[in-house]
């Protein structure tokens, strides 16, 4: 059990620092920061978050009693309820806030683009033609399936639509993988790539990759690590096969080497915990991964991710005109803004996320009690 604690600590590290990297990435774009943080670094951080999500969902469903390994309707109900109340409450609050402020945020975005013309972007997600329809498509999370709505609010919520699609299909994926993991892993990945190819042939263009087949391979990477961790009897040969399949699909799907490299490191760290003491560097890594800052950032990561642009756009619209090429000025602005975002995110976490999670647990508990009563009555 101690090894599992370290593994979750590592996932806390990945989630927390991925959210921070996304924050810095947007700050570099909107605040005229160094090109090192612009490029694809933000996209890779979101990909890493998907891998962590795939791991945690598969891991929890494999070992937790709450979901009954998704083998009955009660377990599936509990799964959907817990996931919905983990994501929806904070998102709905931020969504309403962003739609109310959309026009103002659009003016802020235009002010930034006037100073930094290279950052100019489509303004459709700020000056929304039909906010009521947009609102309901996002509240229902259907927006991720529709190319024209995949990037249609001031929030970076495109990945939430993707996440909810993953939750929706996960019970089916989990059922198949528990039958014959390798066969269905390859079949599902191939099917997702086929759907991606076919959708492009049909002319479907997603401004942001909100359609699950486009990004399923990142979730699958986490699923494979969780499967190997929870099945200690799998020999190294199958470790090699599973990892080879995932590395292939990650490389082709993301067209970069970052996710294959992160996957291989994550697999090594999580699945070979008993051998970590063979290398001198691992005690230092363990200290980093399990530091309390990683746990705190992990807890704040969702609120930071979903809220930060609402605060960042006004902030940089005011100061970008006074900025210079000074790296120190930009770094100071990032630190100052992050303190504000972190404080605001903590309030959302404490007063919205935590109560939402508690409500989900309460509904699951009531469902479990009803099931126990029904079993006793039938007996």
């Amino acid at each position: 059990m101690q090894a599992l604690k370290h593994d979750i600590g590592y996932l806390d590290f990945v989630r927390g620092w991925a959210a921070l990297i996304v924050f810095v990435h947007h700050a570099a774009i909107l605040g005229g920061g160094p090109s090192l943080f612009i490029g694809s670094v933000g996209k890779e951080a979101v990909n890493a978050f998907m891998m962590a999500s795939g791991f945690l969902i598969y891991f929890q469903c494999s070992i937790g009693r709450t979901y009954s390994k998704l083998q009955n309707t009660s377990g599936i109900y509990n799964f959907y309820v817990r996931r919905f109340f983990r994501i929806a409450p904070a998102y709905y609050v931020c969504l309403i806030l962003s739609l109310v402020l959309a026009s103002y945020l659009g003016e802020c975005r235009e002010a930034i683009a006037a100073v930094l013309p290279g950052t100019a972007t489509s303004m459709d997600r700020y000056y929304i033609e039909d906010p009521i329809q947009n609102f309901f498509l996002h509240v229902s999370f259907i927006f991720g399936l529709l190319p024209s709505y995949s990037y249609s609010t001031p929030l970076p919520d495109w990945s939430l639509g993707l996440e909810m699609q993953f939750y929706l299909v996960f019970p089916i994926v989990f059922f198949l993988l528990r039958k014959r993991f390798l066969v269905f892993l390859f079949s599902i990945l191939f099917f997702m790539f086929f759907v991606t190819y076919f959708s492009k042939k049909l002319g479907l263009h997603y401004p942001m990759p909100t359609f699950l087949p486009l990004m399923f391979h990142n979730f699958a990477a986490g699923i494979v690590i969780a499967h190997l961790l929870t099945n200690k009897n799998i020999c190294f040969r199958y470790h090699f096969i599973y990892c080879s399949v995932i590395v292939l699909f990650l490389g082709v799907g993301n067209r970069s080497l970052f996710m294959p490299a992160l996957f291989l490191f994550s697999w090594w760290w999580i699945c070979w915990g008993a051998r970590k003491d063979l290398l001198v560097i691992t005690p230092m890594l363990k200290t980093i991964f399990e530091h309390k800052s990683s746990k705190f950032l992990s807890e704040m990561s969702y609120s930071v991710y979903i809220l930060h642009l609402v605060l960042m756009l006004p902030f940089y619209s005011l100061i970008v005109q006074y900025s210079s090429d000074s790296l120190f000025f930009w770094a100071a602005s990032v630190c100052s803004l992050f303190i504000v975002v972190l404080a605001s995110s903590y309030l959302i976490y404490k007063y919205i996320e935590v109560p939402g999670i508690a409500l989900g647990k309460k509904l699951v508990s009531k469902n479990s009690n009803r099931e126990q009563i029904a079993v006793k009555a039938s007996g």
Side-chain angles (χ1 to χ4, degrees):
M1 293 302 295
Q2 188 69 15
L4 294 184
K5 179 182 176 182
H6 299 334
D7 297 333
I8 299 302
Y10 170 74
L11 269 295
D12 286 340
F13 174 86
V14 171
R15 291 191 300 168
W17 288 91
L20 180 59
I21 290 171
V22 171
F23 173 87
V24 174
H25 168 68
H26 286 148
I29 295 173
L30 300 174
S35 58
L36 172 66
F37 296 111
I38 299 178
S40 62
V41 64
K43 181 185 72 173
E44 299 291 10
V46 176
N47 291 341
F49 206 102
M50 293 177 199
M51 184 185 74
S53 179
F55 173 92
L56 291 170
I57 296 302
Y58 190 93
F59 182 76
Q60 290 169 0
C61 290
S62 296
I63 69 171
R65 296 180 180 180
T66 303
Y67 306 134
S68 304
K69 296 187 176 180
L70 303 181
Q71 292 178 338
N72 52 48
T73 55
S74 178
I76 294 174
Y77 168 85
N78 291 344
F79 172 77
Y80 284 141
V81 167
R82 288 290 301 273
R83 299 323 303 166
F84 177 82
F85 283 98
R86 177 65 184 90
I87 296 294
Y91 174 57
Y92 287 168
V93 170
C94 293
L95 175 64
I96 293 171
L97 180 63
S98 70
L99 292 179
V100 170
L101 298 176
S103 295
Y104 168 66
L105 294 175
E107 294 171 1
C108 294
R109 189 65 183 85
E110 289 178 325
I112 293 170
V115 179
L116 301 171
T119 70
T121 184
S122 171
M123 300 303 296
D124 292 344
R125 65 183 181 276
Y126 300 103
Y127 303 120
I128 302 169
E129 292 184 3
D130 192 342
I132 302 300
Q133 179 175 302
N134 196 308
F135 173 75
F136 283 107
L137 286 173
H138 282 77
V139 165
S140 62
F141 295 98
I142 295 174
F143 73 95
L145 300 172
L146 307 175
S148 59
Y149 285 92
S150 64
Y151 197 35
S152 56
T153 74
L155 300 177
D157 55 2
W158 64 270
S159 63
L160 299 189
L162 195 64
E163 189 92 3
M164 285 305 228
Q165 292 171 48
F166 174 65
Y167 297 158
L168 181 64
V169 304
F170 183 77
I172 299 173
V173 171
F174 190 72
F175 171 80
L176 294 175
L177 293 179
R178 287 182 64 83
K179 292 294 183 181
R180 294 192 66 181
F181 189 89
L182 182 58
V183 171
F184 283 110
L185 171 69
F186 185 83
S187 299
I188 294 170
L189 285 167
F190 185 80
F191 173 76
M192 293 293 182
F193 267 62
F194 175 79
V195 172
T196 297
Y197 173 81
F198 191 66
S199 65
K200 291 180 179 179
K201 286 295 183 180
L202 290 177
L204 297 178
H205 171 68
Y206 289 84
M208 296 299 284
T210 57
F211 187 39
L212 182 60
L214 298 174
M215 305 298 282
F216 180 79
H217 45 276
N218 294 316
F219 292 104
I223 288 174
V224 166
I225 297 173
H227 177 74
L228 293 173
L229 176 65
T230 55
N231 291 271
K232 298 291 188 180
N233 60 331
I234 296 177
C235 66
F236 183 80
R237 180 180 64 179
Y238 279 99
H239 275 254
F240 176 79
I241 295 173
Y242 293 157
C243 291
S244 298
V245 170
I246 286 298
V247 166
L248 172 63
F249 279 93
L250 285 174
V252 174
N254 294 321
R255 298 182 180 181
S256 80
L257 296 178
F258 174 80
M259 281 305 296
L262 179 64
F263 165 76
L264 289 174
F265 176 82
S266 302
W267 160 77
W268 167 75
W269 181 264
I270 291 173
C271 294
W272 300 98
R275 302 186 181 183
K276 291 174 187 174
D277 57 351
L278 295 180
L279 297 178
V280 177
I281 195 173
T282 53
M284 181 180 67
L285 290 177
K286 177 183 174 183
T287 301
I288 293 172
F289 294 153
E290 296 182 12
H291 193 270
K292 58 183 179 181
S293 63
S294 296
K295 179 65 175 178
F296 178 72
L297 277 176
S298 177
E299 292 176 342
M300 297 299 106
S301 62
Y302 178 51
S303 293
V304 167
Y305 176 78
I306 201 64
L307 176 68
H308 73 278
L309 284 179
V310 175
L311 300 176
M312 185 178 288
L313 286 166
F315 178 81
Y316 276 118
S317 71
L318 294 174
I319 73 164
V320 72
Q321 56 187 317
Y322 304 110
S323 65
S324 63
D325 293 331
S326 169
L327 180 61
F328 175 80
F329 180 89
W330 175 80
S333 73
V334 171
C335 293
S336 301
L337 176 60
F338 187 67
I339 292 172
V340 176
V341 170
L342 196 61
S344 303
S345 298
Y346 178 77
L347 294 177
I348 291 178
Y349 172 77
K350 183 175 181 179
Y351 295 108
I352 299 173
E353 279 192 67
V354 171
I357 294 169
L359 178 57
K361 290 181 178 179
K362 184 176 180 180
L363 293 173
V364 166
S365 178
K366 286 184 177 181
N367 179 58
S368 299
N369 291 337
R370 286 196 299 267
E371 188 178 55
Q372 290 175 6
I373 292 172
V375 171
K376 290 180 180 179
S378 63

